[in-house]
Amino acid sequence: MNVLVYCPLHPGYGVRPQTLKSIFGLSWPGEIVYAFGRSTAQVDDYQDILRKYQQARRMVLSSQFDALLTIEADMIVPELALDRLWALDADVAYGLYCSRRQKHPWLVFTAVEEREAAHLSDDCCRAFYGSAIDSAGIGLGCTLIRREVLEKLDFRMQPGGPATDWWFALDCLERGFRQISDLGTVCGHMIDAQTAVWPDPTQDKLFRLEVA
């Protein structure tokens, strides 16, 4: 069970120290190879991230990796993230984290179309917290993708359309790959250099802010 852990570096700050610490703190009985995707040119942010994920896919397929774990440069992932996501035996397994923006909704989706997506309801967030549920994907902040998926799908994007992670979720749905969100793999999402937002079903707005 060999896994490539890939972190696409932010073109400005690279990777948050809190993220780096959590990446190297992952528990896993098999082999882990760590890779960090760098920006090589001044390009559009969306094109930059697309190129990095396409690089990660090529790395998996050119070697004997069984899966790709993507961890974005502003995430704080739990020690057992890889163990939990692998144990789900899903084609694509997502950790739980909040959006950095606006009202910090949980990035768990029940339906995805090209121009809109439906979040898991607040009541369901509370009811299913700690459990693994079928979902419609979106998000590469802490996501395990099996090799078999990458053999069939490449990351893509279209001008004026959704971002890379959105297209990936759509393509998985079209191909019939099973996507699962693990609401027990709880991740922090850095909203600045020192503060992280965490999913928290005990809070009225389902999140809490902490100094990380």
Side-chain angles (χ1 to χ4, degrees):
M1 299 181 293
N2 301 327
V3 177
L4 175 66
V5 175
Y6 185 90
C7 176
L9 297 179
H10 188 276
Y13 59 76
V15 58
R16 299 294 189 194
Q18 301 91 333
T19 300
L20 198 61
K21 181 179 179 181
S22 71
I23 287 175
F24 288 123
L26 287 168
S27 167
W28 183 241
E31 180 183 353
I32 294 180
V33 173
Y34 303 94
F36 297 86
R38 300 181 181 277
S39 300
T40 57
Q42 295 297 321
V43 296
D44 174 84
D45 288 346
Y46 288 106
Q47 289 293 334
D48 182 53
I49 195 67
L50 172 62
R51 181 192 62 78
K52 290 171 182 173
Y53 282 124
Q54 289 175 335
Q55 176 192 50
R57 175 180 181 266
R58 289 194 300 270
M59 293 175 69
V60 169
L61 297 183
S62 65
S63 190
Q64 298 302 312
F65 293 110
D66 299 298
L68 167 67
L69 177 65
T70 61
I71 299 177
E72 292 182 343
D74 55 4
M75 301 296 300
I76 304 173
V77 300
E79 178 183 352
L80 296 178
L82 181 51
D83 293 279
R84 287 186 62 102
L85 296 179
W86 180 274
L88 295 175
D89 201 27
D91 296 311
V92 184
Y94 298 86
L96 172 64
Y97 58 99
C98 297
S99 170
R100 289 189 298 108
R101 299 177 177 85
Q102 299 174 343
K103 299 180 180 180
H104 306 305
W106 293 12
L107 294 180
V108 183
F109 297 88
T110 57
V112 177
E113 298 180 3
E114 186 171 327
R115 296 293 176 181
E116 59 184 15
H119 283 86
L120 189 69
S121 70
D122 288 0
D123 287 344
C124 286
C125 286
R126 292 189 171 92
F128 295 125
Y129 183 74
S131 303
I133 61 172
D134 286 293
S135 72
I138 301 185
L140 294 170
C142 178
T143 303
L144 184 70
I145 306 168
R146 300 280 178 153
R147 181 187 184 92
E148 292 78 10
V149 177
L150 297 173
E151 289 175 343
K152 301 286 180 57
L153 295 179
D154 196 357
F155 296 100
R156 67 185 181 103
M157 190 185 71
Q158 293 181 359
T164 299
D165 60 337
W166 194 301
W167 276 118
F168 183 73
L170 283 170
D171 289 342
C172 285
L173 289 169
E174 182 179 346
R175 291 293 189 97
F177 289 120
R178 188 182 185 193
Q179 301 180 90
I180 293 180
S181 291
D182 181 17
L183 277 60
T185 300
V186 184
C187 307
H189 200 172
M190 303 293 295
I191 59 176
D192 57 38
Q194 297 184 354
T195 309
V197 57
W198 293 84
D200 189 339
T202 69
Q203 301 298 310
D204 289 342
K205 296 182 179 180
L206 293 172
F207 71 86
R208 71 179 187 277
L209 300 178
E210 287 187 359
V211 175

